[in-house]
Amino acid sequence: MKIICQVIGLLFLCQFGMAQVADDFSDGNFTANPVWEGNTADFIVNTNKELQLNAAVAGISKLYTQVAIGDSNVWEFYMKYDFSPSSSNGGRIYLQAAGTDLTNTQGYFLEVGETGSNDALSLYRQDGATKVFLKKATLGTMGGTSAVANVRVIRNAAAEWTLYADYTGGTNYTFEFSVSDATYLGVNGYFGIYCN
């Protein structure tokens, strides 16, 4: 059975000045506009113009792109798992990472994948190799036989993180949570995708 993890219409907005990074993969690749690096052989842009994990064997696969991240930001993306995520079969979206080693960096990420059916979007801070739990969205929203979410994360200048999601994949976002964390603010760093 082939396991598919897709990120469709990824959009990262850096809301300071006029800078922004966006990739909807409509150009059919992730090698330009912007350039994605990492385990590039493990990913494809499928015929639906979706970034898809296509690794030949199980393991860790990651992609990242360089971005300038301000203290105030909006991140938007659509994610789809064609399986029930678990603690050994899930993923992370690195909203902000100081380095390309996504398992040993400083920054913030959303994680999907736990044991059982209570899967939810969870926000973490990463301090080197240590992940620090910050807040969890509604339990069970990512726990079915497949998991879909259109996600919007906003961090304001006061370091308040707010997560909105639409679990039908649309843009009818509902509020999930707010939490404050000012450990890491703006950085010239990376936005990344980590699949396990």
Side-chain angles (χ1 to χ4, degrees):
M1 174 175 69
K2 183 176 223 171
I3 294 179
I4 299 172
C5 174
Q6 301 168 338
V7 176
I8 306 165
L10 172 71
L11 175 65
F12 166 74
L13 298 174
C14 218
Q15 297 218 337
F16 60 99
M18 296 302 288
Q20 75 175 8
V21 173
D23 200 344
D24 64 4
F25 306 107
S26 61
D27 59 3
N29 69 64
F30 54 87
T31 58
N33 301 317
V35 175
W36 291 81
E37 300 176 274
N39 304 112
T40 57
D42 292 351
F43 293 87
I44 62 170
V45 174
N46 65 29
T47 56
N48 294 326
K49 305 297 186 206
E50 302 163 341
L51 179 65
Q52 175 181 320
L53 177 65
N54 195 42
V57 296
I60 305 297
S61 300
K62 51 191 169 179
L63 278 183
Y64 47 84
T65 189
Q66 195 166 14
V67 293
I69 302 168
D71 294 344
S72 296
N73 296 281
V74 176
W75 295 266
E76 292 182 355
F77 51 89
Y78 176 86
M79 60 194 328
K80 177 181 178 183
Y81 292 81
D82 283 342
F83 56 92
S84 179
S86 68
S87 58
S88 61
N89 196 13
R92 298 175 183 172
I93 301 292
Y94 277 81
L95 306 171
Q96 173 178 325
T100 60
D101 180 358
L102 299 180
T103 58
N104 190 10
T105 190
Q106 296 174 331
Y108 298 92
F109 64 86
L110 282 178
E111 183 172 68
V112 176
E114 338 182 340
T115 303
S117 60
N118 281 335
D119 283 323
L121 294 165
S122 298
L123 180 64
Y124 287 86
R125 184 183 74 235
Q126 186 152 335
D127 301 333
T130 303
K131 67 181 198 176
V132 177
F133 173 75
L134 297 177
K135 197 79 172 184
K136 184 180 297 247
T138 305
L139 293 178
T141 52
M142 300 295 285
T145 56
S146 65
V148 174
N150 205 1
V151 179
R152 176 183 287 161
V153 179
I154 300 170
R155 179 179 64 197
N156 64 25
E160 181 179 49
W161 296 79
T162 306
L163 183 131
Y164 300 89
D166 181 337
Y167 298 107
T168 69
T171 55
N172 187 21
Y173 295 109
T174 58
F175 172 81
E176 284 289 334
F177 64 74
S178 285
V179 64
S180 293
D181 190 292
T183 306
Y184 307 117
L185 297 177
V187 65
N188 287 330
Y190 300 88
F191 177 90
I193 300 165
Y194 169 100
C195 299
N196 179 14

